[in-house]
Amino acid sequence: MSASGRVRIIGGTLRNSRLDVPDLPGLRPTADRVRETLFNWLQPVVGGARCLDLYAGTGALGIEALSRGAAGVTFVEREPRLASALKANLARLKVAGEVIGDDASRWLRGSARPFDLVLLDPPFSLDAWVETARQLEEGGWIAAHGWIYVEAPRSAVLALPSNWLVHRQGHAGEVSYTLYRRTPADPLS
């Protein structure tokens, strides 16, 4: 593994910890300032939250949630080298997290358990936002009033579930990031 050491945890009990990250093409860790903004938004709700970090990559989003008091994080990452590095980082930092080495879409076809916070930042080349959002919503993966973080290209127009209400949003360069609040779907619609 060629570790870059570029990714660091921004706040919480693991503040300034560095994550060893394999040098892989297409890997695009969420920028420090975006993670800082996101977790400032989430501060009132992340403590005790059950989190799902889909397309985990470096795991920086999920580990940031653990650092800030999340009850637990399930990381789903299909790339074996990233999943292995994520397990090693969790062990080195002495924090628990469930790492699942599987394709997110395939994993979401399994038995659902609702999460309070879902971190949805797939590789931009996959164009997986709409289908993954549908699977999350229809599969029962998000708690009734859960939170969903979505990171996408700034130019993307995403048709996400209508009961995902924009709470906050921002842009950094060519990246758009949005925090949604899920409301239970209207049974009459």
Side-chain angles (χ1 to χ4, degrees), residues 58-125:
T58 66
L61 287 170
I63 293 172
E64 192 79 50
L66 287 169
S67 180
R68 293 170 186 249
V73 177
T74 298
F75 300 87
V76 179
E77 176 51 56
R78 71 178 181 175
E79 166 54 54
R81 288 172 291 179
L82 287 172
S84 177
L86 182 50
K87 288 176 186 175
N89 281 322
L90 290 168
R92 184 176 49 78
L93 296 171
K94 296 180 175 65
V95 292
E98 179 185 19
V99 179
I100 297 169
D102 198 356
D103 175 76
S105 180
R106 181 175 38 244
W107 185 76
L108 289 172
R109 289 192 291 266
S111 297
R113 55 185 190 237
F115 290 91
D116 304 308
L117 171 61
V118 175
L119 304 163
L120 178 56
D121 179 18
F124 286 7
S125 62

Side-chain angles (χ1 to χ4, degrees), residues 106-156:
R106 181 175 38 244
W107 185 76
L108 289 172
R109 289 192 291 266
S111 297
R113 55 185 190 237
F115 290 91
D116 304 308
L117 171 61
V118 175
L119 304 163
L120 178 56
D121 179 18
F124 286 7
S125 62
L126 288 183
D127 192 22
W129 296 273
V130 174
E131 177 58 21
T132 303
R134 184 195 63 73
Q135 285 184 280
L136 286 164
E137 185 61 34
E138 292 178 5
W141 291 97
I142 309 167
H145 295 282
W147 298 89
I148 308 101
Y149 169 74
V150 177
E151 191 170 314
R154 191 172 186 165
S155 60

